[in-house]
Amino acid sequence: MLVVRAGKGMLKQLEADRMAGRHGATRIAVIPDAGHDVHLDDPAAVYGEMAAFLAEATAAESEAAAESEAAAKEAGAGA
């Protein structure tokens, strides 16, 4: 999960931390000079955070799939 928080927005760090605490593997991104409309105030920073988050998630998913495939091959070789 990705929580994007504007440094000058209404969502405070404590609230973002609480949101993150309800889910595993949550990343909190803070856009320092943005206000409540963070996506309008600094769209490039929001896009960058989203792209990085998706890249990390994709890499983790690919790694898990490769490990699963390797384990299946190993189990098949032992049969």
Side-chain angles (χ1 to χ4, degrees):
M1 178 198 267
L2 173 65
V3 175
V4 178
R5 187 177 82 74
K8 297 177 181 177
M10 297 170 54
L11 180 66
K12 301 301 178 199
Q13 187 63 46
L14 180 61
E15 294 172 90
D17 291 340
R18 286 184 188 150
M19 292 170 69
R22 292 185 194 130
H23 302 279
T26 298
R27 179 172 173 207
I28 299 173
V30 180
I31 311 299
D33 294 325
H36 180 69
D37 289 326
V38 64
H39 62 291
L40 298 175
D41 291 346
D42 197 344
V46 173
Y47 174 79
E49 291 293 344
M50 291 172 63
F53 174 78
L54 293 172
E56 290 170 12
T58 301
E61 187 175 301
S62 294
E63 183 178 318
E67 289 174 3
S68 178
E69 185 178 320
K73 285 182 182 179
E74 187 176 308

